[in-house]
Amino acid sequence: MSEFPFLSVLTLLPLVGAAVVGFIPRAKAELAKMVALVWSLIVLGLSVVMWLAFTIDGDRFQFRESYAWIPSWDARFTFAADGIALVMLMLIAVLFPVVILASWNDVDQSRRSAPAYFALLLSFEFTMIGVFAAADVFLFYVFFEVMLIPMYFIIGSFGSGQKQYAAVKFFLYSLVGGLFMLASVIGLWVVGGHTFDFTNLVESTAAIDQNTARWLFLGFFVAFAIKAPFFPFHTWLPDSGGAAPAGAAALLVGVMDKVGTFGILRYCLSLFPEASRWFAPAAMVLAVIGIIYASLLAVGQNDLKRLVSYTSIAHFGFIGIGIFAFTTQAGTGAVLYMVNHGLATGLLFIVVGMFVARRGSALVSDFGGAGKLVPVLAGVFFFAGLASLALPGTAPFVSEFLVLIGTFSTHKAYAVVATLGIILAAAYVLWMIQRTTQGTLNPALTEVPAMSKDLTLREKFVVAPLIALLLVLGFYPKPVTDVINPAVQATLQDVGTTDPAPSVVADGKVGG
């Protein structure tokens, strides 16, 4: 079964689905929704089969496929997945059916075309799978740029508020980052032996001049730091997250932003090991600043969607210090954080969207005591918030703990300062919940008929799988960490770092 072309089929399936959905007449919106949902479930099913076919103790890159593309550049349609890519592909496969079901009634048919919206979602899934499955640097760059197009139209055409401003800002920020990457991709081809194959480049880049490698590293890093986003390249995310439909925002922060941290792990660290070690202190400083700065901004937000966007910037700071701590614990925690953040923040954005759809407003001040009207929805909101702040027993706690303990073993000061982010997370999450669903009932809510409707059956099917995964991975993350660990260890071997040996105190006992 491992000979089956999983990655090329998985990449093309959503694109074919997008074409099918896009050609469905606008008047047949329900058919378009059903086709999109079924198509995404087929992708999920095939992804599960691929997960089961992955051999933990096998080669670093599995399911490799390579097809001729541009022979004169040695650019090929090459696909392969290590453990890091595999868990991200599974996250994509899980989130898209959930988001499609959550977005069932998001499109006003009198103004916009529902088939077009769901076709854009499937197109976006095509680009997301492609960017994580690519094992050719030029192919990765193409997917990195193309994925902007469906999200640009989703935000600009189907969003709310300053949607056109947010869409243009999102596109321009990402495009500028892509230009930095393009310069480095061209430079890498010139000095790396006129090839774009990732495996060959890992070997050939060892001979690159130190200064050249550092400049090439910076080109990639800036593009990925904008995409993640890391401080100070973060300002596009609150605008985009606030303007995008809730389901699309869940994909934006749950999946698309992970391209940035994935790119740092795959390309910056493995292709430029010396430059990665050289830049690590600066990267960790930016990550820690991002944790504190974004957390403080989140506390002061009155818009629920912007608030959740700022929490994501803070969470990406934890992922950043995990990556550049260069320990197996921190690296595994960072990758696991990417998965868990996608589940927790995806759930939080979706639930916020349910509140916004009922109230007709995303402003915290327009709620107050909403739990008295929709107690089940409020309970799910409470759980999503607790998962977002990494409560023990939920999946994000495991990843955050691994990041901090792995970072503390080599960079104690960064880990201690980052821990302040946990305190601030409790502040902004609990304050958000208290102002929205607790306390005295806002009389204006009783005048909104939709606010009297608790979770529907469809909405229960939306939140149930995410809640289940957050709980299961909170108590038993081993199936995921077993897949991640070998890939992280191989990446650290590329960087040329090893885990610190346990310290030994005077009486001969092993210390921390």
Side-chain angles (χ1 to χ4, degrees):
M1 193 64 180
S2 60
E3 299 300 321
F4 183 80
F6 282 107
L7 295 175
S8 58
V9 173
L10 275 174
T11 303
L12 292 174
L13 261 179
L15 182 61
V16 176
V20 172
V21 173
F23 278 107
I24 294 176
R26 180 172 177 173
K28 297 184 178 180
E30 292 302 313
L31 175 62
K33 298 173 188 177
M34 286 301 302
V35 172
L37 178 60
V38 171
W39 216 282
S40 65
L41 288 173
I42 293 173
V43 174
L44 173 59
L46 187 58
S47 299
V48 171
V49 175
M50 182 177 68
W51 177 279
L52 296 175
F54 186 83
T55 305
I56 294 175
D57 298 326
D59 295 336
R60 176 181 179 182
F61 290 98
Q62 300 180 34
F63 313 119
R64 184 178 175 86
E65 307 170 46
S66 189
Y67 310 100
W69 184 18
I70 311 176
S72 59
W73 297 354
D74 194 31
R76 300 177 63 86
F77 286 108
T78 302
F79 300 99
D82 62 357
I84 300 172
L86 183 65
V87 296
M88 295 310 303
L89 290 170
M90 277 303 304
L91 176 65
I92 293 168
V94 168
L95 280 182
F96 269 88
V98 169
V99 166
I100 288 173
L101 192 57
S103 306
W104 208 257
N105 299 320
D106 282 0
V107 180
D108 183 356
Q109 271 291 99
S110 64
R111 300 176 58 195
R112 298 292 179 186
S113 168
Y117 178 74
F118 288 97
L120 285 170
L121 285 180
L122 288 175
S123 299
F124 187 54
E125 184 175 23
F126 152 69
T127 62
M128 286 293 93
I129 293 175
V131 80
F132 286 110
D136 179 281
V137 174
F138 188 71
L139 181 62
F140 171 84
Y141 170 76
V142 170
F143 277 115
F144 184 87
E145 293 290 59
V146 171
M147 68 183 178
L148 304 179
I149 299 173
M151 185 54 72
Y152 169 80
F153 284 109
I154 288 172
I155 297 173
S157 297
F158 297 92
S160 58
Q162 294 183 305
K163 58 183 182 180
Q164 294 178 343
Y165 166 79
V168 171
K169 187 174 183 179
F170 156 77
F171 194 85
L172 290 179
Y173 264 68
S174 299
L175 189 62
V176 169
L179 292 176
F180 278 96
M181 185 194 293
L182 178 60
S184 286
V185 167
I186 295 172
L188 186 62
W189 183 82
V190 171
V191 301
H194 294 184
T195 182
F196 287 116
D197 183 81
F198 174 78
T199 304
N200 293 336
L201 283 171
V202 170
E203 298 175 0
S204 62
T205 50
I208 296 179
D209 171 74
Q210 183 183 85
N211 287 331
T212 301
R214 291 179 178 180
W215 281 110
L216 294 177
F217 168 91
L218 283 175
F220 277 98
F221 180 82
V222 169
F224 296 142
I226 291 173
K227 184 65 65 183
F230 289 135
F231 174 89
F233 308 103
H234 64 281
T235 59
W236 65 268
L237 181 57
D239 292 320
S240 300
L251 295 175
L252 184 68
V253 301
V255 178
M256 188 176 190
D257 289 357
K258 307 302 188 305
V259 175
T261 48
F262 171 82
I264 292 172
L265 280 162
R266 169 70 65 82
Y267 298 100
C268 288
L269 269 58
S270 293
L271 295 179
F272 312 107
E274 187 280 332
S276 299
R277 297 192 300 270
W278 164 72
F279 193 71
M284 294 191 75
V285 168
L286 293 178
V288 170
I289 292 175
I291 293 172
I292 306 302
Y293 178 73
S295 297
L296 291 173
L297 288 178
V299 172
Q301 294 302 308
N302 188 43
D303 185 295
L304 283 169
K305 293 167 73 176
R306 289 181 66 88
L307 191 158
V308 177
S309 298
Y310 276 113
T311 68
S312 293
I313 298 170
H315 292 151
F316 274 96
F318 282 101
I319 297 173
I321 64 172
I323 291 173
F324 286 98
F326 297 139
T327 67
T328 303
Q329 279 183 323
T332 299
V335 177
L336 187 60
Y337 211 131
M338 290 159 62
V339 176
N340 293 339
H341 173 266
L343 297 173
T345 305
L347 175 62
L348 189 57
F349 248 123
I350 288 170
V351 175
V352 164
M354 293 175 182
F355 272 110
V356 173
R358 285 165 167 77
R359 181 66 178 92
S361 171
L363 298 181
V364 176
S365 55
D366 286 339
F367 289 88
K372 294 179 174 61
L373 299 177
V374 283
V376 179
L377 179 58
V380 175
F381 186 47
F382 183 57
F383 174 82
L386 294 181
S388 181
L389 64 81
L391 183 77
T394 62
F397 170 77
V398 180
S399 46
E400 195 166 279
F401 179 79
L402 285 173
V403 165
L404 290 174
I405 196 172
T407 303
F408 189 81
S409 63
T410 55
H411 301 85
K412 292 180 174 57
Y414 294 116
V416 170
V417 176
T419 305
L420 296 176
I422 300 175
I423 301 172
L424 292 172
Y428 60 67
V429 168
L430 295 178
W431 195 23
M432 172 185 69
I433 292 170
Q434 193 275 331
R435 291 185 296 167
T436 306
T437 62
Q438 306 301 310
T440 304
L441 177 64
N442 182 351
L445 295 182
T446 60
E447 301 174 5
V448 182
M451 281 303 302
S452 62
K453 299 177 183 178
D454 213 335
L455 278 184
T456 65
L457 181 61
R458 174 184 61 84
E459 290 171 334
K460 290 176 182 177
F461 275 109
V462 169
V463 301
L466 298 182
I467 292 173
L469 285 171
L470 287 167
L471 289 173
V472 170
L473 294 179
F475 286 95
Y476 190 64
K478 188 176 184 295
V480 179
T481 55
D482 283 350
V483 171
I484 295 171
N485 263 322
V488 170
Q489 291 169 354
T491 302
L492 293 180
Q493 187 175 358
D494 290 340
V495 178
T497 59
T498 57
D499 288 328
S503 60
V504 180
V505 294
D507 61 2
K509 296 179 180 179
V510 177

